[in-house]
Amino acid sequence: MALVNIHFLNLQQNYLFADIAKKVNAFKVMHPKADVISLGIGDVTQPLAPAVVEAMHKAAHEMGTIKGFRGYGPEQGYDFLREAILKNDFLPRGVHLSIDEVFINDGAKSDTGNFQELLHWDNFIGVTDPIYPVYIDSNVMIGRCGNYRDGRWTNVRYLPTTAENGFIPELPKGRPVDVIYLCYPNNPTGTVITKQELRKWVNYALKNDALILYDAAYQAYIQDPDIPHSIYEIRGARKCAVEFHSFSKTAGFTGVRCGYTIVPKDVTVSTFEGERIPLNQLWLRRQCTKFNGTSYISQRAAEAIYTPEGKQQVQTTIDYYMDNAHRMLTRLRSLGYEVYGGENAPYIWMRTSEGMGSWQFFEALLYGANVVCTPGVGFGPSGEGYVRFTAFNSHEKTEEALTRIENWTKQ
Ligand SMILES: *Cc1c(COP(=O)(O)O)cnc(C)c1O
């Protein structure tokens, strides 16, 4: 008899964005003429940089020749890309890593979801709340989170980040956590962490022998020079942190698929007997068994982001989105809304009006202004009473959405 992995049955039935799509579709059926603008889902809209497209063409041509054809590549990625990453993303920030600490992936969702496989099932995990749902759900699938009651998992330590604490999570009190997920700049709140605050987490991890899984998917959006782009800018982090990067939001790779994970050789976890096991070797072993590498064409495309033209073109698109974020912040604030984030991240986190629930506000905005946002509670219990707007739409649509929100607010 083939038995099911019962942990999958514990998952909340619907994926947040499927619920949203259902409600938007119901609205469209009733109002077929309405032109709905989405500031909801976190996907980019602007085309790939010309340097990236050119690199993909070139790689495709190579693959069509006897000499240039490539079959299976190294599971951990081609050296040309791993070297470009070290030279451009880390060396300028004073972070010295070696090439075999870089693992090229097909996007950060896979690795942030899969990495927990290396850890014993009864590790106690902590997450800042609200958070990217992949971290918790991937742990639920292996049975690490307990039961779901009143909107939360019984075996997860939720560390609230809300307006009340300035979106600065407090270190866990009581039972220490073994594994901590941090995401900065944060999805969904758009807020960032200072070096001083991040140092507290690294020190906590070192003191409690905990592991930090740090998601830096939005580091390219950081504007403030004092905000860290990588956790390895903090001393000691290479002993206790694994870091995930993605070219999805950096360079519009949501459809191309490429990112990377840093697993320093100094990061170890323990056996019951106290033997230290380096995660770098385990991750390599895991990847060699379960992953056959990111396509050569995607890796050449990613390499092109680091050329002088590529850098400039990618920056232009990031500036374009950040211009949207700035317009949204200014306009929503002038309407009296309480808004956060949006200065070093492409997300605006907004308190709903007059104590409305997230879903209630979502529907009111959809029906009143024909604008789609994401209900904050979909990212965790502390997201209740907030909604998320993304800066990934065009200037025109963003402006139009803001005008509609203004008219709806003032009526
Ligand atoms: C978009 C996103 C990712 C990256 O997804 P890819 O799989 O690289 O497209 C990772 N983490 C967070 C928090 C994200 O929002």
Side-chain angles (χ1 to χ4, degrees):
M1 183 169 36
L3 294 172
V4 69
N5 173 351
I6 53 164
H7 304 307
F8 273 67
L9 309 183
N10 285 335
L11 287 167
Q12 288 322 100
Q13 272 323 305
N14 275 324
Y15 186 56
L16 171 64
F17 292 101
D19 279 344
I20 293 173
K22 214 162 80 188
K23 287 185 196 282
V24 172
N25 282 337
F27 171 80
K28 283 183 176 166
V29 167
M30 281 190 285
H31 306 86
K33 293 220 177 84
D35 159 38
V36 175
I37 299 179
S38 177
L39 301 179
I41 198 160
D43 198 355
V44 296
T45 56
Q46 296 303 299
L48 291 171
V52 167
V53 176
E54 200 181 308
M56 291 173 86
H57 273 295
K58 199 168 148 234
H61 268 289
E62 267 183 78
M63 294 284 266
T65 64
I66 279 281
K67 215 168 128 242
F69 174 75
R70 317 251 176 157
Y72 291 125
E75 289 87 351
Q76 61 278 29
Y78 285 105
D79 282 356
F80 62 78
L81 180 55
R82 300 164 95 194
E83 267 158 19
I85 287 165
L86 291 183
K87 204 169 124 217
N88 291 281
D89 287 350
F90 295 98
L91 271 184
R93 301 184 202 293
V95 179
H96 297 261
L97 295 165
S98 75
I99 198 160
D100 43 4
E101 295 176 309
V102 184
F103 294 81
I104 307 301
N105 62 34
D106 62 356
K109 189 188 231 181
S110 320
D111 282 13
T112 51
N114 290 330
F115 204 83
Q116 49 75 31
E117 274 182 38
L118 303 189
L119 306 167
H120 196 271
W121 70 270
D122 71 350
N123 277 298
F124 185 39
I125 70 157
V127 293
T128 60
D129 170 39
I131 201 68
Y132 185 52
V134 173
Y135 312 148
I136 293 183
D137 284 358
S138 57
N139 280 283
V140 169
M141 289 172 180
I142 205 167
R144 209 175 267 131
C145 297
N147 301 306
Y148 193 70
R149 281 198 206 113
D150 304 325
R152 46 181 85 218
W153 294 94
T154 50
N155 271 350
V156 171
R157 174 65 56 79
Y158 290 83
L159 306 158
T161 60
T162 59
E164 283 64 36
N165 62 15
F167 298 92
I168 300 167
E170 261 184 62
L171 295 176
K173 294 201 187 82
R175 179 184 172 190
V177 298
D178 306 304
V179 182
I180 306 149
Y181 287 87
L182 296 177
C183 173
Y184 287 105
N186 188 259
N187 177 10
T189 67
T191 56
V192 288
I193 194 163
T194 60
K195 280 190 185 158
Q196 193 190 355
E197 284 298 322
L198 189 53
R199 192 167 296 125
K200 289 186 192 166
W201 285 95
V202 169
N203 290 340
Y204 174 90
L206 292 173
K207 182 160 157 254
N208 293 284
D209 198 3
L211 174 69
I212 298 177
L213 299 177
Y214 194 79
D215 188 343
Y218 295 94
Q219 59 81 25
Y221 289 83
I222 293 172
Q223 312 285 313
D224 180 340
D226 295 333
I227 298 296
H229 287 244
S230 163
I231 194 168
Y232 305 118
E233 292 176 48
I234 310 298
R235 190 190 295 275
R238 64 168 71 225
K239 287 209 177 83
C240 62
V242 167
E243 184 167 280
F244 305 95
H245 285 250
S246 167
F247 299 114
S248 284
K249 319 301 168 21
T250 304
F253 273 43
T254 51
V256 175
R257 312 305 304 145
C258 192
Y260 64 90
T261 297
I262 302 291
V263 190
K265 290 183 198 150
D266 292 346
V267 181
T268 60
V269 288
S270 190
T271 64
F272 277 120
E273 293 72 34
E275 189 191 346
R276 304 303 306 191
I277 310 293
L279 285 178
N280 182 286
Q281 282 169 30
L282 284 196
W283 186 242
L284 178 62
R285 187 66 187 80
R286 189 266 176 209
Q287 290 297 80
C288 289
T289 295
K290 292 198 179 182
F291 183 59
N292 250 338
T294 306
S295 84
Y296 176 66
I297 297 175
S298 295
Q299 293 189 59
R300 281 293 183 200
E303 182 193 25
I305 296 168
Y306 297 110
T307 59
E309 317 78 67
K311 274 184 192 166
Q312 200 183 19
Q313 292 161 3
V314 161
Q315 190 58 47
T316 305
T317 304
I318 290 173
D319 293 346
Y320 181 92
Y321 294 136
M322 288 311 286
D323 183 28
N324 280 341
H326 182 72
R327 292 174 200 219
M328 291 160 84
L329 273 184
T330 315
R331 201 76 175 272
L332 292 168
R333 232 168 233 158
S334 78
L335 292 173
Y337 288 110
E338 219 183 289
V339 285
Y340 303 95
E343 281 164 358
N344 294 288
Y347 294 122
I348 309 283
W349 190 241
M350 188 172 98
R351 181 113 63 174
T352 60
S353 6
E354 289 132 37
M356 266 194 203
S358 294
W359 278 108
Q360 200 188 353
F361 186 89
F362 163 87
E363 296 223 19
L365 189 70
L366 174 61
Y367 283 76
N370 304 350
V371 172
V372 177
C373 61
T374 310
V377 70
F379 299 100
S382 299
E384 182 57 287
Y386 294 87
V387 292
R388 188 192 75 175
F389 290 107
T390 85
F392 288 134
N393 219 317
S394 64
H395 286 340
E396 297 72 25
K397 295 263 186 199
T398 304
E399 281 294 343
E400 169 66 19
L402 289 171
T403 303
R404 290 188 197 171
I405 294 171
E406 178 162 353
N407 294 337
W408 171 69
T409 306
K410 287 183 171 165
Q411 88 194 3

